[in-house]
């Protein structure tokens, strides 16, 4: 542990909803914060579920808003929220919570018809939790509404970084870092800020991760610790591979490829602020802080294994277009993609050959527009053959070591062939850190296991 009084860059820490679900968890968070005096900036989420049957506070707040918009009373729903916070405050010996709750409930009722009422109310879970945690830690509470600004088009206003640095800097600059000097500690609610008109605006769900990353960059953190309820990233979905090997280090580029397939415990937008500043992210388990977790960095040494992870998703459709001399028809691919764009459809991949082109998209995007899209493709492109294949799963095999390791593709395709799995699509990015294969939905689980067993040696 760094010595007390030694000048050093702070650690920015974000604690998720499960890490703050009850008083016992908050006490655990406090012990983690106090275990390393560099942990000076704490970003918190709203309380998560205490059990599988429990409700997240944010979900209850959204339900309150919906109920009020229907012209009904939300008092009984808010009573559940009140009970949750009061119980935590009593267990932690914190006063003031009833008054904060009264203010939120009054604001909820009075502002039910305001344009920003949904965002304002949804943000109160983080607001109340930050007030509670700050009191318990004896730390300074700073409202995210005073730090984070959005532009008129909804993007983060870059001036937020300067505001955060100016506001938090004097507090966290203190070198008197110990339990007896909590004035060097700041607690900030995640998930929200203000828009260009001064109204409360939230990030998308899970946005406290983004707040943590923004704050980490603004204060020049040595690292951004993201505390959650898992041991870090795994090389494959543990629901399919129960003893999947943990990923100890992964690059931002590799994470982006894995996150695209849903294999991430981190909000995808949280990567960008810290990546630009070269600040590493450290995924940690609040309930097992002794474990090493997963480091996410700009670069990493070539690992023993060329593949860092395998991830996938079901539910894709492929439009397969064939036409003789397609390669000589200028603008063919552009027109095909423009047709999809005109119908509001985003594409995922476009594998091609000299006389054929495939466009892959999510099934739900195509479903209601299917007939119209087919008719327009037939009319505009006049293909020799047009077919739509539904029920496809995409699997990404990712690793920066793949680009300079001979035989990776052969091992991958051999694994699927030996498992009796037919490959319907192959796509490798120009960066050569991933190979995406398309298989039918019914082959998805078997394909993941076959690839994992090929590239990850048994312990």
């Amino acid at each position: 542990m760094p010595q007390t009084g030694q000048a050093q860059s702070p650690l920015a820490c974000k604690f998720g909803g499960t890490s703050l679900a009850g008083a016992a968890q908050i006490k655990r968070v406090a012990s983690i914060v106090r275990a390393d005096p560099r942990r000076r900036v704490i970003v918190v989420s709203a309380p998560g579920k205490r059990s599988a049957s429990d409700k997240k506070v944010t979900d209850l707040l959204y339900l309150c808003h919906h109920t009020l918009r229907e012209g009904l009373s939300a008092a009984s729903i808010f009573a559940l929220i009140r009970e949750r916070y009061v119980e935590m405050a009593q267990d932690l010996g914190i006063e003031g919570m009833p008054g904060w709750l009264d203010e939120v409930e009054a604001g909820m009722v009075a502002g039910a018809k305001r344009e920003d009422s949904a965002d304002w109310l949804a943000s109160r879970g983080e607001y109340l939790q930050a007030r509670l945690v700050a009191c318990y830690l004896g730390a300074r509470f700073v409202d995210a509404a005073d730090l984070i600004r959005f532009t008129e088009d909804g993007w983060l206003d870059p001036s937020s970084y300067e505001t955060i640095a100016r506001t938090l800097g004097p507090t966290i600059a203190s070198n008197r870092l110990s339990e007896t000097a909590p004035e060097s500690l700041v607690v900030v609610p995640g998930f929200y800020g203000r828009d260009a008109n001064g109204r409360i605006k939230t990030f998308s769900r899970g946005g406290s991760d983004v707040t943590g990353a923004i704050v980490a960059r603004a204060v020049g953190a040595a690292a951004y610790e993201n505390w959650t309820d898992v041991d870090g990233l795994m090389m494959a979905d543990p629901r399919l591979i129960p003893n999947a090997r943990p990923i100890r280090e992964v690059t931002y580029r590799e994470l982006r490829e894995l996150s695209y397939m849903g294999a991430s415990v981190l909000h995808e937008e949280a990567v960008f602020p810290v990546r630009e500043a070269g600040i590493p992210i450290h995924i940690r388990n609040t309930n097992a802080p002794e474990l090493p977790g997963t480091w996410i960095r700009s670069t990493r040494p070539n690992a023993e294994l060329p593949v860092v992870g395998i991830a996938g998703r079901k539910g894709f459709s492929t439009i397969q277009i064939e036409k003789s001399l397609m390669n000589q028809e200028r603008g063919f691919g552009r027109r095909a993609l423009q047709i999809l764009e005109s119908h509001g459809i985003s594409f995922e991949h476009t594998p091609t050959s000299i006389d054929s082109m495939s466009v892959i998209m999510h099934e739900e995007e195509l479903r209601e527009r299917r007939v119209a899209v087919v008719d327009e493709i037939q009319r505009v492109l006049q293909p020799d053959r047009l077919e739509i294949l539904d029920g496809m799963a995409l699997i990404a095999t990712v690793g920066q070591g793949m680009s300079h390791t001979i035989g990776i593709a052969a091992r991958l395709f051999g694994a699927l062939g030996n498992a009796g799995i037919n490959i319907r699509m192959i796509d490798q990015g120009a960066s050569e850190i991933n190979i995406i294969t398309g298989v039918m939905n019914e082959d998805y689980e078997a394909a993941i296991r076959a690839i994992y067993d090929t590239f990850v040696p048994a312990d």
Side-chain angles (χ1 to χ4, degrees):
M1 180 186 302
Q3 295 180 355
T4 300
Q6 179 181 354
Q8 54 209 309
S9 297
L11 294 175
C13 306
K14 178 263 178 179
F15 289 91
T18 53
S19 299
L20 299 162
Q25 286 295 97
I26 293 174
K27 292 177 182 178
R28 189 184 297 272
V29 165
S31 68
I32 290 172
V33 171
R34 292 165 179 158
D36 190 333
R38 295 175 300 166
R39 294 182 177 126
R40 292 183 241 174
V41 184
I42 312 302
V43 175
V44 301
S45 296
K49 292 184 177 183
R50 295 161 293 186
S51 64
S53 60
D54 200 7
K55 299 291 185 183
K56 295 180 180 179
V57 165
T58 302
D59 290 339
L60 292 173
L61 288 167
Y62 275 121
L63 183 58
C64 284
H65 174 262
H66 176 74
T67 302
L68 288 167
R69 298 290 279 191
E70 293 294 318
L72 304 173
S73 171
S76 61
I77 303 170
F78 195 82
L80 298 175
I81 299 171
R82 178 182 292 275
E83 180 183 5
R84 181 90 176 265
Y85 279 110
V86 168
E87 179 182 340
M88 286 191 291
Q90 289 176 343
D91 288 346
L92 296 171
I94 302 300
E95 299 179 357
M97 182 55 72
W100 300 331
L101 285 162
D102 288 343
E103 291 176 5
V104 170
E105 186 168 19
M108 174 184 75
V109 175
K113 303 297 183 182
R114 287 202 322 257
E115 185 176 344
D116 69 332
S117 59
D119 282 12
W120 180 86
L121 188 53
S123 72
R124 295 307 87 183
E126 279 75 14
Y127 171 84
L128 291 169
Q129 193 72 351
R131 298 297 298 261
L132 180 65
V133 171
C135 280
Y136 186 67
L137 290 173
R140 177 188 174 197
F141 166 82
V142 180
D143 195 346
D146 298 327
L147 301 176
I148 294 176
R149 291 289 186 272
F150 294 91
T151 61
E152 291 186 0
D153 55 2
W155 295 98
L156 176 72
D157 188 330
S159 68
S160 301
Y161 293 115
E162 181 181 348
T163 301
I164 295 168
R166 183 177 63 250
T167 305
L168 304 189
T171 299
I172 64 173
S174 171
N175 288 326
R176 296 172 296 160
L177 300 176
S178 68
E179 291 187 43
T180 59
E183 65 271 18
S184 63
L185 191 62
V186 175
V187 177
V188 177
F191 188 40
Y192 68 94
R194 289 191 188 276
D195 67 14
N197 296 311
R199 299 179 298 234
I200 294 295
K201 176 176 173 58
T202 61
F203 293 99
S204 58
R205 290 297 293 265
S208 292
D209 286 341
V210 185
T211 304
I214 292 168
V215 170
R217 174 175 171 175
V219 303
Y224 169 31
E225 292 186 335
N226 191 286
W227 293 85
T228 182
D229 58 354
V230 296
D231 299 339
L233 290 168
M234 300 293 151
M235 291 190 69
D237 188 339
R239 292 169 298 183
L240 301 179
I241 311 293
N243 297 313
R245 180 179 292 192
I247 301 173
R248 295 304 178 208
E249 285 191 318
V250 63
T251 67
Y252 292 121
R253 290 174 65 205
E254 290 168 331
L255 178 67
R256 176 68 173 160
E257 298 291 343
L258 292 170
S259 297
Y260 161 69
M261 291 298 184
S264 177
V265 294
L266 191 70
H267 192 295
E268 62 178 14
E269 294 178 19
V271 167
F272 299 108
V274 288
R275 183 181 68 180
E276 293 171 356
I279 297 172
I281 302 173
H282 197 185
I283 306 295
R284 307 287 300 274
N285 189 338
T286 305
N287 298 317
E290 71 281 1
L291 296 179
T294 299
W295 281 98
I296 305 167
R297 308 179 191 272
S298 297
T299 60
R300 66 178 176 90
N302 289 332
E304 174 187 351
L305 299 174
V307 171
V308 75
I310 303 111
R313 284 190 294 174
K314 297 180 180 179
F316 291 90
S317 293
T318 303
I319 299 177
Q320 300 173 337
I321 305 169
E322 293 183 11
K323 188 173 184 180
S324 297
L325 302 178
M326 178 189 293
N327 66 311
Q328 296 183 22
E329 190 172 331
R330 293 177 181 173
F332 189 94
R334 172 182 53 80
R335 293 198 302 274
L337 297 181
Q338 280 183 333
I339 291 171
L340 296 179
E341 181 183 2
S342 69
H343 289 274
I345 298 173
S346 299
F347 74 94
E348 302 294 319
H349 301 277
T350 57
T352 62
S353 67
I354 191 169
D355 286 331
S356 69
M357 175 181 184
S358 296
V359 186
I360 300 170
M361 66 218 68
H362 292 282
E363 283 184 356
E364 62 269 20
E365 289 208 47
L366 181 63
R367 186 171 294 120
E368 295 181 358
R369 308 171 178 90
R370 189 185 192 99
V371 174
V373 168
V374 168
D375 288 347
E376 190 166 352
I377 290 175
Q378 294 279 19
R379 177 175 55 82
V380 174
L381 301 178
Q382 299 180 357
D384 299 330
R385 177 176 171 270
L386 175 64
E387 182 182 0
I388 297 180
L389 176 66
D390 296 316
M392 180 182 287
L394 299 183
I395 300 171
T397 304
V398 178
Q400 68 174 22
M402 293 169 54
S403 62
H404 45 74
T405 302
I406 297 172
I408 292 294
R411 292 172 62 189
L412 172 61
F413 303 144
L416 296 177
N418 292 336
I421 296 168
N422 186 29
I423 300 173
R424 302 306 303 263
M425 187 275 294
I426 301 169
D427 190 15
Q428 183 170 21
S431 63
E432 296 186 4
I433 69 167
N434 74 325
I435 298 175
I436 295 178
T437 50
V439 302
M440 301 311 295
N441 282 343
E442 56 267 27
D443 293 325
Y444 172 72
E445 289 81 2
I448 292 284
R449 295 189 189 99
I451 297 170
Y452 182 88
D453 289 344
T454 294
F455 289 105
V456 184
D459 293 329

